[in-house]
Amino acid sequence: HNIAIMSVFQLATQLLMLVYAHRYLGVPFFGDVHLTVTFNTFVLLQVFNFFNARLLNNEVGLLSNLGRSAGMLYIMFLIVVLQVVIVQRGGKFMSTVPLDAEQWWLCILISSAAIPVGVVSRALLPRPGSKSEGIAGVIQRVVSRFTAPSGPTPSAVKRSDKE
């Protein structure tokens, strides 16, 4: 479930970036800055999603046992450093242009939304192997009580016939 929710979130984010980011940035549609910001946001979405993906058992604590994930932290650091180099120095070879501080902050802000989306998706969905139905199951059960047909149930009708 979490993978599906994150996939939909990332796809929607990228489509919105492709359609609207140029307006916010005041740059030409599908121009070099527009496409670099969209590409940078995509890569940073993956980096922020590392925090969600490391929670294999749907733990809620996003930073729990982070010290045990030294390999992941090293890989994330390497990806971020390479991304900065690719964006700021890649040029024609990488089809990127250097971004200014505001553009970088926009990419980081939008990409960091992957963390709360992951937290909310874990909170709403039941944990595999648990008897808990999660918040989504509770909401569904409560709604079904209010939308169930009114009137006596078939078992209540049978009992009243015997009396």
Side-chain angles (χ1 to χ4, degrees), residues 12-155:
T13 300
Q14 286 296 282
L15 290 174
L16 289 170
M17 292 295 293
L18 281 171
V19 174
Y20 296 110
H22 72 286
R23 293 180 186 171
Y24 175 80
L25 296 166
V27 297
F29 182 64
F30 270 64
D32 292 340
V33 172
H34 179 212
L35 293 178
T36 300
V37 166
T38 303
F39 164 67
N40 199 35
T41 301
F42 170 77
V43 172
L44 293 176
L45 275 167
Q46 309 322 306
V47 170
F48 282 106
N49 193 44
F50 267 98
F51 289 103
N52 294 318
R54 67 178 280 276
L55 301 176
L56 298 176
N57 296 319
N58 282 347
E59 300 100 0
V60 177
L62 192 67
L63 301 177
S64 63
N65 298 320
L66 193 58
R68 291 187 189 173
S69 302
M72 183 200 77
L73 293 173
Y74 175 74
I75 291 169
M76 285 176 55
F77 177 77
L78 186 62
I79 290 170
V80 170
V81 168
L82 288 173
Q83 183 64 14
V84 170
V85 170
I86 288 168
V87 168
Q88 297 302 111
R89 301 277 186 223
K92 288 185 180 185
F93 176 71
M94 297 301 291
S95 299
T96 61
V97 294
L99 300 179
D100 63 28
E102 180 184 349
Q103 294 161 342
W104 270 99
W105 280 114
L106 176 69
C107 295
I108 292 167
L109 179 69
I110 291 170
S111 300
S112 66
I115 291 176
V117 168
V119 169
V120 169
S121 72
R122 281 189 303 282
L124 292 177
L125 298 172
R127 296 179 182 178
S130 75
K131 294 184 181 188
S132 169
E133 57 189 337
I135 293 173
V138 172
I139 292 171
Q140 183 179 12
R141 192 166 30 90
V142 169
V143 168
S144 68
R145 286 184 184 166
F146 289 105
T147 58
S150 59
T153 62
S155 60

